[in-house]
């Protein structure tokens, strides 16, 4: 019985577990995408990608947001509710900043007169926008989750110290961060 | 099995966890809306999946009757078709566009909406918490979302049937470039966009469901319910969910790229193409790329459909033979082997697309390897039946029918798995016969077995036996009469996807056989309607179940009240002390899982 109690603390909450399985599932989607990219790249007519420099800044933004979501979770665990809400808000802002920088990066192509979609486009740039667009949608989902949590934290009349929802969201947030790092390295490596 | 693993730490915690969350649920009153519509009760969600699946099955089945009319009687006209479908059946004859729309939607509906959502959605929901001893799913809310995404997908797909240019009609595999270019056919216009949107919603539904099934089975088992004490239904549904969670996202990637090609003028799948004299600007795309992405889901999808049926059949065969399942661990192992191999064989759908023959050889080998776990399963089902004290309930008959169909449909898979034989057999009626028997009809039999067996648990009443026996015999004999002859014409080289062979010397000799197949198909369809009638009639008027455990089964769902509320058990969740297959042991007919191991009990 003592064994059972001590194990209870170590065990993962089912919702967190579900998030990990979901992460595996999302990974499969991007694995499908990047494998398609590799297959397509080995065929004739592939145009080398020039990654816009602005992507370095979006990468920095999402890296910082991973740190702030960590700080938010730490504050919640220490029951410093003000700091928790502040870091949560900052994380969401970094998320929005990331998305804005990504969009700015794609605007750069238009200035350089590179077609991403439509007539005269090359599959390499289409892949870039399809894959990072899908990643962007996942970041957007995370931002929505963060905003919903922030609103609940401000509006709720009772103090709720349950860390599970934030742990789930933070896990997801670290995941979309790492996913972008993977994609960024992938695009730079497999131009 | 393992009698020593009684105190599993995680089991203890799962019970205590479920208590705090759900212990109070069945006291408060529920409104119509929260009980029947936006419910989070896994049993009600399962019934929603089942009834939606039944409605789709009627539509999908009706479509097959319509195109069988064309195939069976190409020279006749049916004025009523023109009254019903207008320009699609001008002069009482099904137009070519209509024919392709019908076969495409028949495939889409049956594969995804009926045999994926309607089969695994139904039984995963109803059985998982009941058989592992949990109050509900890990997340009731996600579970509810899973159904409502399915419902939305259904609405979009259903709406696509009514648009002016018709629904998608490039086959359920929607290969580009046909599906990517609106100019190419009527069905590739708006209908194709509806198809893609509907499938995207469907994939979301299926993923939300799958996540929940996996984390419920791994996290919420009751005390004593170690993995090796789970009924085989649970193992099968677990592997099904893993397959779905890992393969559906890849289809989504493929569909996203197709949406880009359709609407944003990209060239992922489109190379230099001329349509109706118009030179398209696309260059350098690869249509084969789509096939790789599609079949990476498409093949596991076959097992997503089949595994739940296998699991239910294993359970029902054992209960109604009053014998333990033969080779429990071998059954689990073969499910596992099938799940792994399912990911490694997708290119056998592409042998003749220009795939490197050297690469093809590996896919042949891996494909033929599936015969090993499949044969293990068949052997174990037959040895479970062997010298059993068989009760021929309707559920049992369908389970035995499943084994029969799985054998006869599986054997032709060995033919088709050979890339050399496939040069002759691909795209013929041999393929149609193979996958309809082994995937379509066999899975339907598993589903029927499940419905007949667990109907008393779902509604507290029995289905009518007389109608059930008529349903079984006509469906079994009918299925063989429809699909066996197709092997024959397929071997002769008769191709699929043609609306009419009457001007084709080599194949119009099969006209009599085709008429015969069409007639049988209509009779079988009528008998399915009898089942639907039986289903809805028995919900309200069926014979009432009098005891908690009408089949004398060991598993946990039969320890709940006849009509369990939300939360399943009124008191504590029972503790499990043994595996679920102690039938005919030590002179006792059956020993429920909740009974502790006796002092002098023999090992099984």
């Amino acid at each position: 019985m003592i064994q059972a109690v001590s194990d209870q603390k170590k065990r993962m909450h089912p919702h967190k577990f579900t998030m990990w399985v979901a992460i595996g599932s999302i990974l499969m989607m991007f694995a499908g995408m990047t494998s398609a990219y590799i297959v397509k790249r080995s065929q004739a007519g592939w145009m080398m990608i020039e990654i816009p420099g602005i992507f370095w800044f979006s990468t920095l933004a999402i890296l910082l947001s991973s740190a702030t979501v960590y700080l938010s979770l730490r504050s919640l665990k220490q029951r410093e509710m003000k700091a928790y809400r502040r870091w949560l808000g900052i994380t969401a802002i970094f998320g929005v900043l990331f998305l804005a920088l990504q969009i700015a990066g794609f605007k750069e192509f238009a200035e350089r007169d590179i077609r991403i979609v439509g007539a005269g486009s090359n599959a390499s740039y289409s892949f870039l926008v399809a894959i990072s667009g899908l990643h962007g949608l996942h970041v957007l989902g995370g931002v929505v989750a963060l905003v919903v949590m922030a609103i609940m934290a401000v509006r709720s009349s009772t103090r709720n110290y349950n860390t599970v929802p934030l742990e789930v969201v933070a896990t997801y947030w670290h995941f979309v961060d790492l996913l972008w790092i993977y994609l960024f390295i992938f695009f730079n490596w497999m131009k | 099995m393992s009698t020593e693993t009684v105190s599993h730490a995680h089991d203890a915690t799962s019970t205590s966890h479920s208590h705090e969350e759900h212990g109070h649920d069945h006291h408060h009153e529920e409104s119509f809306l929260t009980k029947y519509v936006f419910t989070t009760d896994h049993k009600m969600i399962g019934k929603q999946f089942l009834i939606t699946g039944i409605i789709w099955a009627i539509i999908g089945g009706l479509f097959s009757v319509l195109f069988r009319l064309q195939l069976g009687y190409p020279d006749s006209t049916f004025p009523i078709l023109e009254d019903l479908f207008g320009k699609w059946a001008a002069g009482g004859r099904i137009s070519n566009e209509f024919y392709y729309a019908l076969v495409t939607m028949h495939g889409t509906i049956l594969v995804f909406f009926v045999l994926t959502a309607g089969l695994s959605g139904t039984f995963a929901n109803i059985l998982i918490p009941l058989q592992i001893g949990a109050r509900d799913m890990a997340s009731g809310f996600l579970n509810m979302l899973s159904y409502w995404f399915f419902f939305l997908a259904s609405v979009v797909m259903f709406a696509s049937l009514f648009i002016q240019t018709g629904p998608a009609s490039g086959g359920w595999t929607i290969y580009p470039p046909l599906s990517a270019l609106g100019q190419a056919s009527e069905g590739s216009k708006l209908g194709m966009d509806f198809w893609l949107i509907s499938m995207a919603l469907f994939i979301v539904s299926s993923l939300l469901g799958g996540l929940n099934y996996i984390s419920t089975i791994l996290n919420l088992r009751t005390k004593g319910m170690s993995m090796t004490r789970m009924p085989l239904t649970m193992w099968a549904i677990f592997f099904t969910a893993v397959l779905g969670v890992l393969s559906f996202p890849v289809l989504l990637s493929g569909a996203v790229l197709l949406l880009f090609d359709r609407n944003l003028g990209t060239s992922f799948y489109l190379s230099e193409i001329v349509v109706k004299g118009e030179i398209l600007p696309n260059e350098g795309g690869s249509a084969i790329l789509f096939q790789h992405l599609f079949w990476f889901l498409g093949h596991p999808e076959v097992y997503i459909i089949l595994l739940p049926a296998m699991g239910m059949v294993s359970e029902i065969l054992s209960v109604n033979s009053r014998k333990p399942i033969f080779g429990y661990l071998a059954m689990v192992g073969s499910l596992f082997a099938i799940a792994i191999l399912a990911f490694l064989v997708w290119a056998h759908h592409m042998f003749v697309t220009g795939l490197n023959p050297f690469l093809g050889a590996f896919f042949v080998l891996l494909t033929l390897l599936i015969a090993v776990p499949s044969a293990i399963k068949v052997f174990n089902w037959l040895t479970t039946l062997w010298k059993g004290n068989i009760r021929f309930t309707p559920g049992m008959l369908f389970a035995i029918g499943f084994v029969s169909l799985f054998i006869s449909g599986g054997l032709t898979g060995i033919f088709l798995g050979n890339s050399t034989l496939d040069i002759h057999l691909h795209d013929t009626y041999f393929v149609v016969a193979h996958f309809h028997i082994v995937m379509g009809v066999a899975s339907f039999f598993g589903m029927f077995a499940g419905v007949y067996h667990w109907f008393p648990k779902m509604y507290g009443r029995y289905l009518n036996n007389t109608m059930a026996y008529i349903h079984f015999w006509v469906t079994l004999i009918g299925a063989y009469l429809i699909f066996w002859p197709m092997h024959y014409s397929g071997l002769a080289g008769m191709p699929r996807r043609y609306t009419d062979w009457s001007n084709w010397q080599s194949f119009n000799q099969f006209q009599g056989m085709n008429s015969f197949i069409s007639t049988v198909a209509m009779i079988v369809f009528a008998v399915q309607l009898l089942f639907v009638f039986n289903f809805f009639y028995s919900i309200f008027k069926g014979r009432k179940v009098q005891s908690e455990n009408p089949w004398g089964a060991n598993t946990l769902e039969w320890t709940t009240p006849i009509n369990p509320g939300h939360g399943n058990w009124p008191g504590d969740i029972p503790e499990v002390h043994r595996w679920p297959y102690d039938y005919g042991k030590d002179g006792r007919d059956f020993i429920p899982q909740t009974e502790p191991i006796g002092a002098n009990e023999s090992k099984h």
Side-chain angles (χ1 to χ4, degrees):
Chain A
M1 213 45 224
I2 296 161
Q3 170 89 40
V5 172
S6 67
D7 267 22
Q8 186 167 6
K9 279 181 191 159
K10 274 187 262 167
R11 242 183 99 245
M12 195 185 276
H13 189 279
H15 290 175
K16 248 180 116 174
F17 183 86
T18 308
M19 178 47 78
W20 279 105
V21 183
I23 285 172
S25 182
I26 297 170
L27 264 182
M28 282 305 290
M29 181 161 82
F30 284 91
M33 278 287 187
T34 44
S35 335
Y37 181 100
I38 293 170
V39 170
K40 197 73 195 51
R41 182 172 166 266
S42 65
Q43 292 172 352
W46 181 263
M47 192 192 263
M48 273 267 275
I49 298 180
E50 284 176 53
I51 309 278
I54 209 162
F55 277 13
W56 285 97
F57 293 100
S58 57
T59 308
L60 185 68
I62 203 164
L63 268 176
L64 285 174
S65 77
S66 237
T68 56
V69 83
Y70 167 78
L71 290 172
S72 172
L73 182 60
R74 204 181 63 169
S75 311
L76 181 64
K77 279 181 179 162
Q78 294 164 347
R79 306 204 166 178
E80 292 165 7
M81 301 312 272
K82 246 177 127 173
Y84 152 63
R85 287 196 294 259
R86 187 178 65 225
W87 289 120
L88 201 61
I90 293 174
T91 311
I93 291 167
F94 270 128
V96 174
L97 181 67
F98 169 80
L99 291 172
L101 289 170
Q102 295 286 91
I103 291 168
F106 282 102
K107 285 228 167 110
E108 221 180 281
F109 292 129
E111 286 158 23
R112 279 199 254 148
D113 209 24
I114 295 169
R115 298 262 167 89
I116 307 170
V117 294
S121 62
N122 191 282
S124 59
Y125 283 99
S126 308
F127 261 120
L128 186 67
V129 73
I131 296 174
S132 38
L134 266 183
H135 173 262
L137 281 181
H138 284 84
V139 174
L140 190 66
V143 170
V144 170
L146 287 171
V147 170
V148 168
M149 288 202 68
I151 291 172
M152 288 206 310
V154 174
R155 288 177 74 185
S156 149
S157 51
T158 53
R159 274 167 187 269
N160 189 350
Y161 297 119
N162 182 10
T163 57
V164 173
L166 185 61
E167 280 176 44
V168 172
V169 174
T171 309
Y172 177 75
W173 195 261
H174 291 312
F175 164 68
V176 288
D177 179 5
L178 285 175
L179 182 61
W180 173 251
I181 305 291
Y182 158 68
L183 292 175
F184 192 54
I185 294 171
F186 178 84
F187 287 135
N188 273 295
W189 185 30
M190 301 252 169
K191 288 178 190 174
Chain B
M1 264 322 80
S2 49
T3 44
E4 70 284 357
T5 51
V6 176
S7 77
H8 268 247
H10 48 95
D11 304 325
T13 51
S14 68
T15 28
S16 63
H17 167 77
S18 322
H19 275 240
E20 43 193 282
E21 270 198 353
H22 301 290
H24 52 85
D25 270 4
H26 40 265
H27 292 302
H28 56 81
E29 285 285 307
E30 290 177 298
S31 70
F32 179 82
L33 213 59
T34 55
K35 187 172 178 193
Y36 294 106
V37 185
F38 296 107
T39 176
T40 54
D41 182 356
H42 69 96
K43 298 185 290 297
M44 189 55 73
I45 294 173
K47 290 175 196 171
Q48 291 175 331
F49 269 110
L50 182 56
I51 290 173
T52 318
I54 288 177
I55 294 168
W56 271 122
I58 297 170
I59 298 172
L62 186 67
F63 284 1
S64 71
V65 169
L66 288 174
F67 64 69
R68 273 315 318 180
L69 268 183
Q70 164 63 29
L71 293 175
Y73 316 98
D75 301 326
S76 317
T77 54
F78 304 92
I80 188 173
L81 291 180
E82 187 169 15
D83 298 338
L84 287 172
F85 301 107
K87 64 162 179 162
W88 295 98
R93 282 174 57 92
I94 288 171
S95 71
N96 291 346
E97 286 78 17
F98 192 33
Y99 178 86
Y100 290 123
L102 287 173
V103 286
T104 302
M105 295 320 280
H106 170 77
T108 306
I109 290 169
L110 267 303
V111 168
F112 293 111
F113 289 71
V114 180
L115 289 173
T116 304
L119 171 55
S120 82
T122 301
F123 289 101
N125 269 300
I126 290 171
L127 293 180
I128 290 175
L130 284 171
Q131 287 199 335
I132 64 167
R135 299 274 178 208
D136 205 324
M137 288 286 182
S139 168
F141 178 68
L142 281 189
N143 212 25
M144 179 181 86
L145 277 187
S146 160
Y147 175 74
W148 285 103
F149 268 102
F150 170 51
F151 185 81
L152 270 179
S154 297
V155 169
V156 175
M157 195 60 89
F158 192 69
S160 85
L161 301 176
F162 296 98
I163 54 187
Q164 201 188 356
T165 48
S169 57
W172 79 280
T173 54
I174 55 156
Y175 283 173
L178 178 58
S179 63
L181 300 169
Q183 310 88 304
S185 87
E186 287 289 282
S188 301
K189 294 193 166 80
L190 191 58
M192 196 60 229
D193 286 317
F194 273 55
W195 193 97
L196 286 167
I197 292 165
S198 170
M199 281 310 298
L201 292 167
F202 183 88
I203 290 169
V204 172
S205 150
S206 159
L207 291 177
L208 291 175
L211 295 178
N212 234 331
Y213 308 153
I214 294 174
S215 73
T216 308
I217 290 177
L218 290 182
N219 291 290
L220 296 184
R221 298 190 311 279
T222 184
K223 187 173 183 191
M225 180 66 86
S226 60
M227 289 298 274
T228 48
R229 284 182 183 169
M230 292 199 305
L232 286 170
T233 33
M234 292 298 102
W235 275 107
I237 285 170
F238 175 69
F239 285 123
T240 305
V242 172
L243 285 177
V245 159
L246 296 180
S247 64
F248 267 115
V250 180
L251 176 67
L252 191 59
S253 316
V256 167
L257 298 184
L258 185 55
L259 271 174
F260 266 74
D261 271 5
R262 286 180 56 77
N263 299 309
L264 296 172
T266 52
S267 306
F268 294 117
Y269 305 133
L270 297 173
S271 52
E272 297 69 12
I273 294 174
V274 179
V275 185
K276 293 177 185 162
E278 179 198 357
I279 301 167
L280 300 184
N282 307 81
E283 49 186 310
S286 160
I288 306 286
L289 181 61
F290 177 82
Q291 300 189 15
H292 279 296
L293 291 172
F294 181 87
W295 285 113
F296 191 82
L297 156 92
H299 196 81
E301 171 65 25
V302 172
Y303 294 103
I304 290 170
I305 287 172
L306 200 57
L307 290 188
M310 286 177 164
M312 290 193 291
V313 162
S314 306
E315 174 71 18
I316 294 166
L317 283 180
S318 172
V319 170
N320 290 299
S321 302
R322 314 310 291 160
K323 274 182 65 193
I325 191 80
F326 188 91
Y328 175 88
L329 275 186
M331 287 302 234
V332 175
S334 52
L335 283 173
F336 180 67
I338 290 175
I340 298 289
L341 287 172
F343 282 112
L344 304 173
V345 298
W346 78 89
H348 70 212
H349 298 270
M350 301 161 58
F351 283 145
V352 292
T353 58
L355 187 82
N356 186 335
F358 181 69
L359 196 62
F362 288 95
F363 281 102
V364 171
L365 177 69
L366 290 163
T367 303
L368 297 185
L369 269 182
I370 296 185
V372 177
S374 305
I376 291 173
K377 300 201 79 72
V378 167
F379 179 81
N380 288 354
W381 286 321
L382 296 179
T383 38
T384 302
L385 287 169
W386 181 254
K387 291 189 176 175
N389 186 9
I390 298 176
R391 299 183 308 202
F392 289 103
T393 62
M396 181 63 163
L397 284 177
F398 274 102
I400 297 171
F402 170 91
V403 177
S404 159
L405 289 158
F406 183 69
I407 296 171
S408 39
L411 287 174
T412 52
I414 300 174
F415 291 57
L416 290 168
N418 281 288
S419 56
T420 29
L421 282 178
D422 200 54
I423 295 170
H424 175 63
L425 292 175
H426 83 274
D427 267 340
T428 65
Y429 267 77
F430 194 85
V431 181
V432 176
H434 161 70
F435 74 75
H436 272 92
I437 290 184
V438 77
M439 177 180 90
V441 187
S443 302
F444 254 103
F445 269 55
M447 186 170 170
F448 286 134
V451 171
Y452 283 108
H453 189 77
W454 279 288
F455 193 85
K457 191 75 259 165
M458 289 187 237
Y459 294 102
R461 292 172 187 269
Y462 294 97
L463 286 156
N464 179 298
N465 268 357
T466 313
M467 283 193 265
Y469 289 130
I470 296 172
H471 177 215
F472 170 74
W473 286 110
V474 176
T475 311
L476 183 77
I477 296 167
Y480 275 128
L481 288 182
I482 292 169
F483 296 113
W484 256 342
M486 287 187 189
H487 291 101
Y488 177 65
S489 53
L491 279 175
M494 190 161 90
R496 309 160 68 176
R497 299 194 176 103
Y498 283 71
T499 57
D500 191 354
W501 297 277
S502 25
N503 295 325
W504 197 340
Q505 278 296 317
S506 340
F507 304 121
N508 60 14
Q509 54 171 320
F510 295 112
Q511 191 46 52
M513 197 182 80
N514 265 325
S515 315
F516 171 75
I517 292 175
S518 294
T519 312
V520 180
M522 277 178 262
I523 296 169
V524 172
F525 180 69
V527 170
Q528 305 316 305
L529 295 181
L530 179 72
F531 164 76
V532 175
F533 170 76
N534 189 3
F535 183 86
F536 287 105
Y537 177 82
S538 302
I539 290 177
F540 302 104
K541 299 278 168 134
R543 186 162 55 90
K544 278 192 174 167
V545 176
Q546 301 296 346
S547 80
E548 279 185 4
N549 192 353
W551 308 123
N554 291 337
T555 40
L556 286 181
E557 74 269 31
W558 307 107
T559 63
T560 60
I562 293 172
N563 286 303
H566 195 174
N568 298 340
W569 285 270
D572 289 345
I573 298 180
E575 188 180 336
V576 166
H577 300 276
R578 58 178 74 237
W579 78 328
Y581 296 107
D582 274 340
Y583 292 104
K585 185 184 180 191
D586 296 341
R588 289 181 59 188
D589 186 29
F590 68 103
I591 314 176
Q593 282 191 281
T594 50
E595 195 175 307
I597 303 278
N600 302 318
E601 206 175 308
S602 60
K603 292 215 166 194
H604 61 253

